Amino acid sequence: MTAADLNRLEQAARVSMGGFQDPEAPAPRASPLRFAAVALMAAIVLTAASQLI
């Protein structure tokens, strides 16, 4: 099986599963849960830094 055959099979699988994506499509936005986790880590770091000063 050649690389071209593998590429055609992969593309056919993506189309049949409905997962075909435009390579130039914008990236998905970050989830609110991820934002909350980053905010919590920032609060912990700031709290620890204030205890050291």
Side-chain angles (χ1 to χ4, degrees):
M1 193 174 263
T2 66
D5 292 335
L6 291 174
N7 288 338
R8 279 193 295 261
L9 283 173
E10 181 182 0
Q11 185 175 7
R14 287 183 184 175
V15 171
S16 69
M17 294 177 61
F20 185 77
Q21 296 177 352
D22 184 10
E24 296 180 9
R29 297 188 310 176
S31 69
L33 183 60
R34 186 173 186 179
F35 176 75
V38 171
L40 179 62
M41 289 300 296
I44 291 171
V45 168
L46 289 175
T47 303
S50 69
Q51 296 295 322
L52 293 174
I53 295 176

